[in-house]
Amino acid sequence: MKLAWQQIPSPVVSELLCINNLEGVVVDTEHGCYNNETLYSCIQTITSLKKKCFVRLTEVNKTLARACLDAGAD
């Protein structure tokens, strides 16, 4: 599976990554400075473009993991 890694917290970057010939994007919150609003926007942008969206969390956090799944992350 061809995936891009996104460390820049912007739904515009998410969209640009999705227009390439890739199957999805990994939103890397461990090495990027994401707030919850931006994270959810990136997830929704990626999934609305019919790409897989995975989120790399900085730590085990059930609440954030559930929120990402609710926002559409795979």
Side-chain angles (χ1 to χ4, degrees):
M1 179 177 279
K2 290 180 173 180
L3 300 171
W5 283 75
Q6 179 178 343
Q7 295 175 333
I8 300 170
S10 168
V12 173
V13 173
S14 299
E15 185 174 0
L16 290 172
L17 291 172
C18 287
I19 63 173
N20 291 319
N21 191 22
L22 300 170
E23 297 174 66
V25 178
V26 179
V27 180
D28 187 4
T29 66
E30 185 172 357
H31 296 106
C33 297
Y34 288 84
N35 62 32
N36 287 347
E37 182 180 351
T38 305
L39 177 59
Y40 303 155
S41 294
C42 291
I43 293 168
Q44 291 171 345
T45 299
I46 295 164
T47 57
S48 71
L49 294 169
K50 309 293 187 225
K51 302 290 183 175
K52 294 285 186 185
C53 179
F54 302 101
V55 179
R56 181 181 186 188
L57 299 176
T58 57
E59 61 187 353
V60 177
N61 182 325
K62 290 181 184 179
T63 303
L64 184 56
R66 288 180 186 134
C68 290
L69 292 170
D70 287 344
D74 296 297

